[in-house]
Amino acid sequence: MPAPTGSAGAPAALWRAAESALDRLCGVDDNPLRQLGAIGFYLFWLIAVTGGYLYIFYETSVAGAHASVEALTHGQWWAGGVMRSLHRYASDAFIAVIVLHLVRELMLGRFRGFRWYSWVSGVPTLWLAVAAGVVGYWMVWDDLALFVATATTEWFGALPGFGAALVRNFIAEGAVSDRLFSLVAFLHIGLPLVLLLVMWMHVQRLTRPQTGTTRRVALTGLAALVALSLVAPAVSGPPADLTRIATSLPIDWFYLAPLPALYTASPEAVWVASVGATLLLVVAPWLGRTPRPRPAVVEPAHCNGCRRCFDDCPYAAIAMAAHPSGKGEIAVVDADRCASCGICAGSCPSAVPFRSTATLASGIDLPHFTVDMLRAAIDATLRPAGTAGTTLVFACGHGAAPTPQPGLAIFTLPCAGLLPPTFVEYGLRLGATGVVVVTCAPGDCEYRFGLRWTLERLEGTRPPRLRRSVDRSRLAVIQAGPGSRAALDRDIEAFRARLAARATGSAAGGTSRPTLGETTHG
Amino acid sequence: MANLTLRYGGQAILYVLFAAFVGYFSTSPPYQHLPPDQALLRLSFRAPGQLTTDCRPRSPEELAKMSPQLRAQMDCPRERSPVHVRVDLDGKLMLDETFAPAGLRRDGAASGYRRQPIPAGEHLLRVQVNDSVRVKGFTHEAERRLTLAPGQVVLIDFLPDQGGVVIR
């Protein structure tokens, strides 16, 4: 049976260490690093709401633009001023969160293979967010806005299609008209709408995408941004004067960082750097990639169209179609979307090892890691004489790897979610003293729902359920990340010691008690 | 209890640090666009140069070779002259550049944009432009004595229909 390998490497270990540190502070559920995408969505809506309020009072004219923003900032500081500052700071945080989200997936290696679509569709969000923000700075029409307008037109002027005349719209008295501000307002609303569309596309290959943060993260984040808005409110500079240019500018580095490079290097160099970096990000999934494991395969003769794999697939890789037999439906796998995690195989009601067929054929299976292979491996471990006292360990290939020990039979799975619950019962009936299921660490499941579905199936709250009659005291579920091997080994040893004590107690006529529930290690 | 206090305190510090990071880089450090004692000289123009050649009458033989609907009596090439700009500041050459007309047939307007920080104070600015290949030397010229404050922008434009070189 091929042993899957987990994601490793120093960058992944470094990021996981940072996440674990914040887990201790915030808890797994409220760790901001574990929900960066959701925070991005949250900030987008915060920016939209505050921007909507500002737009009510904004005047789209040369004379009115700066004056209306000033009136908002100072005339109603308690509402418009706070809203303006929140709009600014939420926008800055938005860029920071997008970059962190990108860095996280990069460091964890979650951008290759089947994830290429989510990665590539995420790249334009950065450009669109920056473009929307840069245009937003034009709207204030102060000295910073004038700098931003001239710098961006100088930048675009370096492109063949635009030409040197573009900047003339901002450097001569009378060149700027009221219509410009209508155009800018249109862009400042239109670009975020396009961004929202791209964000929607970004999550299309995910089932149940997490687009909302936990309440605590949302409220604490909002409180921090409101506090910042009160302590350091966003203010305008003097009105734009086309005959003058500010020598020193309080630029927003989250959005305007490329502009100084236009003058320290050149507009052409900034184009090369920004387009080059973008292309590098776009092609990253195909750079040095490892071969993708084969996708899940549906066996029509054993698929009854129950939809469990359709419901459980974390990447929307399974669709339902008319069954070729003419009765009911059949699961259909989209090979490009398939992560080869095997969660679908674990959900299939026909993956029951007690079936007496020579070959255990399931409705949906991984060709390189079939449930038949798993049953055969268990049989080979437990059926020979003298295997009494063996503890089975079903370990996720992306979590901590248990250290081999005498009396321990370890089966490494592509994902703990591949394990049909009946295999736990099967192992126990064949004589295993106990079964340990090792999953990824909480909040760090390689395949999004592998951990959750495994727990729910074993708890009996999600089909296929582990039967009620199975002795839970002989089952341990340990959630352990790649860096928690020692803790995992200790837990397994403790579990085995309890099982041994229990067996001794029973033999001596003592009482038994549940030995282990779920333990977690980051 | 102490553990809980530590945890909430840690979270508060975490969010305060993030807010401080956002707040700081939202406006700081300031970008020194120009040294404090500098002004800015800009050249920006968009103007069609003069036609390179005059119209000439076509010969009967030439007309006979053309399609009937295209038989215009006069042949008027559309190619325009590049615009040559020379800028001197206090007698020193700052810019001497030729800007080509746009278009595949070189029949569009020439446009140019250059920026150059210069020290604030008094300057003598001289701008010469040639927009015709049929003229040697310069076709337009302007000279202006300037007193520039730090951050002040001087714009050199070329508007043939408004007298030629305009210094604003």
Side-chain angles (χ1 to χ4, degrees):
Chain A
M1 205 163 51
T5 53
S7 59
L14 190 66
W15 184 271
R16 286 199 169 95
E19 282 190 342
S20 295
L22 282 197
D23 282 346
R24 284 192 284 278
L25 208 58
C26 309
V28 173
D29 291 342
D30 294 318
N31 184 342
L33 290 183
R34 294 195 187 278
Q35 45 185 308
L36 290 167
I39 295 174
F41 271 92
Y42 169 67
L43 289 171
F44 178 89
W45 294 119
L46 186 58
I47 296 162
V49 169
T50 51
Y53 181 85
L54 299 177
Y55 188 65
I56 295 170
F57 302 94
Y58 182 71
E59 285 186 33
T60 53
S61 66
V62 180
H66 185 269
S68 62
V69 175
E70 282 295 270
L72 262 170
T73 309
H74 303 294
Q76 46 162 302
W77 68 266
W78 42 272
V82 171
M83 284 291 200
R84 180 189 178 190
S85 302
L86 258 181
H87 190 66
R88 155 86 75 92
Y89 294 132
S91 303
D92 289 339
F94 188 47
I95 294 295
V97 164
I98 291 175
V99 171
L100 273 175
H101 185 44
L102 185 151
V103 169
R104 179 183 195 266
E105 305 311 314
L106 194 67
M107 290 180 78
L108 292 178
R110 293 176 180 167
F111 60 98
R112 294 194 173 99
F114 69 97
R115 291 187 174 97
W116 75 265
Y117 172 85
S118 300
W119 175 265
V120 171
S121 62
V123 174
T125 59
L126 191 56
W127 271 96
L128 286 164
V130 169
V134 168
V135 168
Y137 273 100
W138 291 27
M139 295 180 77
V140 183
W141 205 231
D142 58 357
D143 57 352
L144 177 61
L146 181 59
F147 164 74
V148 174
T150 51
T152 47
T153 47
E154 282 173 12
W155 190 37
F156 275 83
L159 291 178
F162 291 90
L166 191 64
V167 72
R168 289 177 61 76
N169 295 310
F170 300 101
I171 58 175
E173 287 294 345
V176 179
S177 71
D178 292 351
R179 291 172 64 187
L180 170 76
F181 292 90
S182 299
L183 173 68
V184 168
F186 173 78
L187 283 173
H188 195 53
I189 295 168
L191 284 170
L193 287 176
V194 178
L195 172 61
L196 183 61
L197 176 70
V198 176
M199 287 164 68
W200 174 78
M201 291 164 62
H202 181 55
V203 298
Q204 280 311 292
R205 288 198 173 185
L206 301 176
T207 45
R208 303 173 184 82
Q210 190 187 356
T211 55
T213 64
T214 59
R215 184 173 296 179
R216 178 172 290 176
V217 169
L219 292 177
T220 318
L222 180 63
L225 292 175
V226 169
L228 176 61
S229 302
L230 292 170
V231 171
V235 291
S236 308
D241 176 356
L242 273 59
T243 64
R244 303 192 60 80
I245 191 159
T247 53
S248 178
L249 291 156
I251 71 166
D252 182 340
W253 292 92
F254 292 97
Y255 285 89
L256 309 176
L259 300 186
L262 299 176
Y263 306 106
T264 51
S266 70
E268 291 81 6
V270 176
W271 274 119
V272 169
S274 49
V275 173
T278 304
L279 288 177
L280 195 61
L281 287 175
V282 169
V283 302
W286 294 276
L287 295 177
R289 62 175 176 165
T290 49
R292 282 175 69 171
R294 283 180 288 166
V297 172
V298 176
E299 179 57 58
H302 294 89
C303 177
N304 64 5
C306 70
R307 289 180 164 246
R308 284 180 188 172
C309 55
F310 172 78
D311 288 339
D312 284 5
C313 178
Y315 299 104
I318 296 174
M320 300 305 295
H323 200 286
S325 67
K327 289 181 183 175
E329 291 182 312
I330 187 173
V332 178
V333 177
D334 182 335
D336 191 45
R337 296 181 177 204
C338 181
S340 305
C341 59
I343 288 175
C344 53
S347 74
C348 187
S350 58
V352 178
F354 297 107
R355 288 164 60 192
S356 55
T357 51
T359 303
L360 176 60
S362 177
I364 187 164
D365 222 339
L366 291 184
H368 57 284
F369 201 107
T370 63
V371 287
D372 183 60
M373 291 177 187
L374 187 57
R375 185 177 73 167
I378 294 171
D379 286 346
T381 303
L382 296 178
R383 287 198 187 276
T387 55
T390 300
T391 301
L392 300 186
V393 179
F394 297 105
C396 169
H398 298 277
T403 306
Q405 302 280 346
L408 212 58
I410 300 169
F411 305 94
T412 306
L413 314 177
C415 170
L418 180 144
L419 183 71
T422 44
F423 276 69
V424 173
E425 187 178 358
Y426 185 70
L428 292 174
R429 282 214 208 167
L430 277 189
T433 51
V435 173
V436 179
V437 178
V438 183
T439 69
C440 290
D444 191 30
C445 179
E446 183 73 13
Y447 299 114
R448 302 184 65 234
F449 296 130
L451 167 58
R452 186 174 156 192
W453 295 165
T454 301
L455 294 178
E456 290 181 8
R457 289 169 187 168
L458 295 177
E459 283 163 0
T461 56
R462 183 180 193 84
R465 298 177 179 87
L466 180 63
R467 293 202 305 168
R468 284 180 184 276
S469 59
V470 174
D471 183 1
R472 258 56 175 191
S473 67
R474 292 167 67 193
L475 168 66
V477 180
I478 304 171
Q479 303 167 35
S484 308
R485 187 177 206 183
L488 170 66
D489 287 341
R490 280 196 302 274
D491 281 349
I492 291 175
E493 272 316 296
F495 173 62
R496 295 179 73 192
R498 275 195 287 269
L499 287 176
R502 178 171 168 253
T504 311
S506 297
T511 56
S512 66
R513 64 180 179 82
T515 54
L516 202 65
E518 297 161 14
T519 39
T520 62
H521 304 289
Chain B
M1 184 64 190
N3 203 13
L4 206 64
T5 309
L6 201 67
R7 198 170 147 177
Y8 283 122
Q11 283 185 50
I13 291 169
L14 174 75
Y15 280 91
V16 165
L17 283 177
F18 182 70
F21 169 77
V22 167
Y24 180 75
F25 286 105
S26 186
T27 54
S28 306
Y31 165 55
Q32 194 70 38
H33 183 47
L34 288 177
D37 58 345
Q38 298 267 299
L40 185 65
L41 184 65
R42 276 191 176 126
L43 163 74
S44 172
F45 73 94
R46 185 172 190 279
Q50 303 296 319
L51 293 167
T52 53
T53 48
D54 289 329
C55 296
R56 64 171 184 86
R58 288 195 169 97
S59 66
E61 292 77 21
E62 282 179 297
L63 287 170
K65 287 180 187 170
M66 297 172 73
S67 302
Q69 75 275 15
L70 298 178
R71 285 176 187 161
Q73 292 296 321
M74 301 296 286
D75 176 18
C76 296
R78 297 185 308 185
E79 184 179 345
R80 292 188 175 274
S81 303
V83 175
H84 176 208
V85 182
R86 179 189 165 99
V87 178
D88 292 281
L89 188 73
D90 302 326
K92 289 182 186 167
L93 179 66
M94 280 197 70
L95 176 79
D96 189 3
E97 198 168 341
T98 302
F99 299 89
L104 293 173
R105 295 179 180 277
R106 303 171 66 82
D107 56 350
S111 59
Y113 176 73
R114 297 289 180 269
R115 63 192 299 285
Q116 177 66 50
I118 56 173
E122 284 209 1
H123 296 285
L124 179 65
L125 179 67
R126 188 178 187 208
V127 182
Q128 295 165 299
V129 174
N130 180 335
D131 65 347
S132 174
V133 291
R134 289 184 281 177
V135 176
K136 287 204 170 182
F138 293 96
T139 53
H140 301 83
E141 191 169 324
E143 190 171 280
R144 173 88 64 89
R145 185 161 292 282
L146 306 166
T147 305
L148 301 177
Q152 193 168 344
V153 178
V154 180
L155 176 64
I156 301 167
D157 206 341
F158 175 53
L159 301 166
D161 56 345
Q162 290 180 33
V165 177
V166 176
I167 299 173
R168 295 188 253 199

